[in-house]
Amino acid sequence: MGSRLTSRLVAALGAQRHRWTLAIDVPPRGEPLFGCRAYGRCVGALLGAQLLAFGLWQVDPLKAFLRAHTQCSWRNVMADGRWWAGLTAHLCHRDIEHLATNLATLVVPSFLLQRILPWWGALAICGFATVASSMASLGFIYWAFAPAEPRRLGFSPLDPPRFADLAPALRCPSSHDLVPKGVGRDTATDMHTCDKCGREIHSPARTHRCDVCDYDLCPDCALDGDKQAALRFKRFLSAFDEFCFLREAELCIGFDTMTSDKPFVTHPEVFQTASRLHPLDAAALCSPYMEWWRQSSRGSMGSSALAASLATACACWLGELACRGWRHPLLLIMPGAAALQIAVDLKCTGDALMAVCDAGVGDASSSRQAMPISDAVANAEEDSVGHLAGAAVGAVFYAVFLRRRARGLQLGRPEPGPMYPLMPVVVRSSVP
């Protein structure tokens, strides 16, 4: 049935070829696909980087490093300050199908736009799409899953931490900060040795490690009798992340001091006199923070923002050509596919919003306890928000820059027309 439908569609298109006013000029075999060398090198470098990143993800010893540096998650970008993870995430993909789809969606618009899109314009649209997509995904994660309590108290991700000076940072002999890591989970090996006491640290224990110097400290040596032990486990960059960590830590043992004028961080003796919360009340207050910890650790890979931006810009150009009276199946297929993808992304984002609202995530004062959001909904939300941000960048880039450039390249014509590789068909004679 499918092959019969396909054959009928091909036959119908062939019967209408005499009415086409455009033809796609594909270079012959052996000729370069792109007329401009610099443009071709940019596209080739982008495709090669994605293939290289996909290959690296197939090497198991590298996955711990890649999870920390090539996944756009709140913990990587905002909490730990690895801002480059929001950029490198767009070079990675979940599986071979996702990779193949993105590569195809990158190559086709790049080929069609090569005459009106200069090489530096291609870099610009990819850069803007990458930043916009990462910011949109992180913003949505914060809006949808961040606990409501610290936001009500005025703790913002942009505010500096309040207790940064209470405990000095743990550093190696070369003055590099030590980062807490799970042995075997965040490191390449299942055993490390403490460089201070010589104790072996086995999985799943934690180590405070400097990857540059290959320096480790076991938990006992890292604490070393410090009263502010909680701050030794994490160096915070914002008041919001600091409060979430400390609040969850005290609620797990049944205390409620972080919202008082004597938080346990500065007044550790309060644990001797403060009354414990009822276990159910403590669990209800702690639930939004546990869900936030889970969602903030989720990282998106290959949000397809690059492909979405180029495809949308190309679809805008082809759609305008169709509105100007030019005829070719591609002028309808490309804009239709881009519009369908945007509609699907809007639906997925709306479904995720409804799921978040129904679950009451982030609000401990809700009459119903916060419920975890399914991984499928969270994955769909992350990719959909990234797609929409990339599509918006592509549409704006076409309206502001590409349309005007197309008009200038065509010697001031009031309306943009077809350019290589879309060539006008002036005379099409019928051959018996």
Side-chain angles (χ1 to χ4, degrees):
M1 181 66 181
S3 59
R4 189 182 307 172
L5 182 62
T6 303
S7 61
R8 289 181 179 179
L9 180 61
V10 171
L13 291 175
Q16 297 294 324
R17 289 190 62 180
H18 66 281
R19 302 182 59 184
W20 297 356
T21 57
L22 286 178
I24 301 177
D25 186 9
V26 179
R29 181 177 299 179
E31 295 294 328
L33 190 62
F34 301 100
C36 176
R37 284 188 177 182
Y39 185 85
R41 288 172 181 171
C42 289
V43 176
L46 180 60
L47 300 180
Q50 299 196 37
L51 291 172
L52 176 61
F54 183 79
L56 292 177
W57 268 98
Q58 311 310 308
V59 182
D60 290 337
L62 296 179
K63 287 187 176 180
F65 176 84
L66 295 174
R67 276 195 295 265
H69 296 277
T70 64
Q71 283 192 329
C72 182
S73 66
W74 182 275
R75 185 190 297 182
N76 285 341
V77 179
M78 300 298 295
D80 293 340
R82 293 189 289 269
W83 55 267
W84 54 88
L87 305 180
T88 56
H90 297 276
L91 301 177
C92 303
H93 300 84
R94 293 187 301 269
D95 47 49
I96 189 64
E97 292 82 4
H98 194 201
L99 173 66
T101 303
N102 275 13
L103 293 183
T105 313
L106 279 171
V107 170
V108 174
S110 299
F111 174 70
L112 296 176
L113 290 173
Q114 61 177 295
R115 184 67 179 90
I116 62 174
L117 182 64
W119 66 267
W120 50 267
L123 294 180
I125 191 173
C126 290
F128 280 117
T130 297
V131 174
S133 174
S134 296
M135 292 180 62
S137 295
L138 294 175
F140 191 95
I141 287 291
Y142 176 76
W143 177 85
F145 299 108
E149 186 177 45
R151 290 190 285 182
R152 286 197 297 264
L153 296 175
F155 298 116
S156 166
L158 302 179
D159 296 333
R162 295 189 301 164
F163 309 113
D165 299 330
L166 289 182
L170 286 174
R171 292 188 173 92
C172 69
S174 299
S175 299
H176 301 136
D177 286 347
L178 299 184
V179 179
K181 294 187 176 183
V183 177
R185 182 176 63 87
D186 299 325
T187 63
T189 60
D190 294 335
M191 193 276 289
H192 290 259
T193 303
C194 177
D195 289 280
K196 185 174 182 179
C197 67
R199 167 190 169 190
E200 292 185 352
I201 311 170
H202 295 275
S203 177
R206 295 176 66 84
T207 177
H208 296 259
R209 176 170 176 78
C210 172
D211 289 328
V212 177
C213 303
D214 193 19
Y215 184 86
D216 292 272
L217 282 182
C218 65
D220 293 338
C221 294
L223 296 178
D224 199 19
D226 186 23
K227 291 183 179 180
Q228 283 80 27
L231 298 183
R232 287 283 197 171
F233 288 97
K234 184 74 174 177
R235 303 304 298 178
F236 301 97
L237 300 179
S238 69
F240 172 80
D241 291 311
E242 180 187 62
F243 180 87
C244 290
F245 177 85
L246 298 175
R247 181 65 166 158
E248 182 182 358
E250 71 165 2
L251 289 174
C252 286
I253 58 176
F255 287 98
D256 183 10
T257 66
M258 288 301 298
T259 56
S260 66
D261 56 352
K262 291 185 178 181
F264 76 94
V265 180
T266 55
H267 299 78
E269 69 279 359
V270 74
F271 284 155
Q272 305 296 327
T273 58
S275 59
R276 287 178 178 267
L277 297 171
H278 189 277
L280 294 179
D281 295 335
L285 290 172
C286 189
S287 179
Y289 294 96
M290 297 180 68
E291 179 64 16
W292 168 246
W293 178 256
R294 191 175 77 95
Q295 295 295 340
S296 65
S297 302
R298 299 177 59 89
S300 61
M301 298 193 329
S303 69
S304 305
L306 305 182
S309 61
L310 290 172
T312 303
C314 185
C316 290
W317 181 44
L318 298 183
E320 184 165 358
L321 292 180
C323 294
R324 300 299 179 190
W326 299 92
R327 293 189 297 275
H328 192 279
L330 191 63
L331 303 187
L332 300 178
I333 295 175
M334 194 79 178
L340 179 61
Q341 181 64 57
I342 293 175
V344 172
D345 293 332
L346 288 173
K347 181 182 183 302
C348 292
T349 304
D351 293 342
L353 286 172
M354 294 181 62
V356 169
C357 295
D358 292 341
V361 175
D363 190 2
S365 63
S366 176
S367 59
R368 60 189 182 279
Q369 184 175 351
M371 299 175 60
I373 303 298
S374 68
D375 293 346
V377 172
N379 275 334
E381 165 269 317
E382 289 174 4
D383 277 353
S384 299
V385 172
H387 292 167
L388 292 175
V393 169
V396 172
F397 199 83
Y398 174 78
V400 173
F401 174 71
L402 290 184
R403 191 172 189 274
R404 187 176 304 174
R405 176 176 170 82
R407 187 180 305 164
L409 290 174
Q410 295 175 346
L411 303 178
R413 286 176 54 181
E415 300 173 354
M419 286 185 293
Y420 181 83
L422 297 179
M423 307 301 293
V425 178
V426 180
V427 178
R428 182 173 290 273
S429 61
S430 59
V431 180

